Amino acid sequence: MIASWSSYYGNHQLVAVTVRYVHLASTLVGGGSAVVLDGKVLQAARADGATRLSVLRELRGSHRLIVPAFTLVALSGLLLTAADVDTFLASKLYWTKLGFVTLLVVNGALLLAAESAAERTAGERWGRMAAVALASLTLWMATLFVGTWLTVGA
C-alpha cells in the first residue's frame, strides 16, 4: 500500500503539490492562529481581569479553527512521510520534528487545563497560561525551523 502511494505521489505532480500545499496551508492557518493567540495571552498576563477574560473567550473559540488545521497538518504529514518512508524514517530531523509535534499536542492539552483553571478563577491564575503560551510559541517556531530544514534534504 505504501509503495503504491509513493509511486502515485511521485508520478502525479498535482497530487504532490496539493499534499504539500495542504501541509503548509494548514500549518500557516493553525500555527499562525496559535502564535497570534499566544501573543495575546502573553500581553494579557500584564493586563486586568476583564482583558484576561476576553482573551479566554477568544481562546475557547479558537479551538474550532486550530484543532481541524492541526489535524490536516498531521494527515498531510502522514501522506508526505508515506511518499518517501525510507528517507524520513532514517532522518534524525524527521524524528526531531515529530518530537516537537508531540510536544505541541501535549502543550495543547496543558493549555486546555490552564484555560479551565483561569476560567474558574475569573482570569486570576494567569501565570500558567503565560507559561503554556510561551512554550507554544517556542514549539511552533522550532517545529517550523526543523520542518524547513527537513525540506532541504538534510
Side-chain angles (χ1 to χ4, degrees):
M1 167 109 172
I2 289 178
S4 61
W5 167 250
S6 180
S7 176
Y8 188 80
Y9 181 91
N11 292 320
H12 294 85
Q13 188 176 16
L14 180 60
V15 171
V17 168
T18 301
V19 171
R20 279 185 258 145
Y21 169 78
V22 168
H23 195 69
L24 293 172
S26 54
T27 299
L28 175 67
V29 171
S33 297
V35 165
V36 167
L37 287 165
D38 292 336
K40 288 183 179 187
V41 168
L42 292 172
Q43 288 176 341
R46 297 182 299 274
D48 60 14
T51 301
R52 290 177 179 178
L53 288 174
S54 175
V55 170
L56 279 172
R57 280 191 297 276
E58 192 172 354
L59 275 170
R60 281 285 180 209
S62 73
H63 302 307
R64 289 187 305 267
L65 174 69
I66 294 171
V67 171
F70 195 81
T71 301
L72 284 174
V73 170
L75 292 174
S76 59
L78 286 172
L79 291 174
L80 290 167
T81 300
D84 195 1
V85 174
D86 294 334
T87 298
F88 286 117
L89 296 185
S91 169
K92 290 179 184 173
L93 283 174
Y94 175 78
W95 291 108
T96 301
K97 182 179 178 183
L98 283 188
F100 284 139
V101 170
T102 301
L103 289 173
L104 277 168
V105 171
V106 170
N107 196 67
L110 293 173
L111 175 63
L112 291 174
E115 283 177 33
S116 294
E119 285 174 343
R120 284 192 306 275
T121 61
E124 293 304 315
R125 296 185 64 193
W126 206 258
R128 190 163 54 156
M129 288 290 297
V132 172
L134 185 58
S136 172
L137 185 61
T138 303
L139 287 168
W140 276 109
M141 294 299 106
T143 303
L144 180 61
F145 179 78
V146 173
T148 302
W149 193 355
L150 190 59
T151 64
V152 296

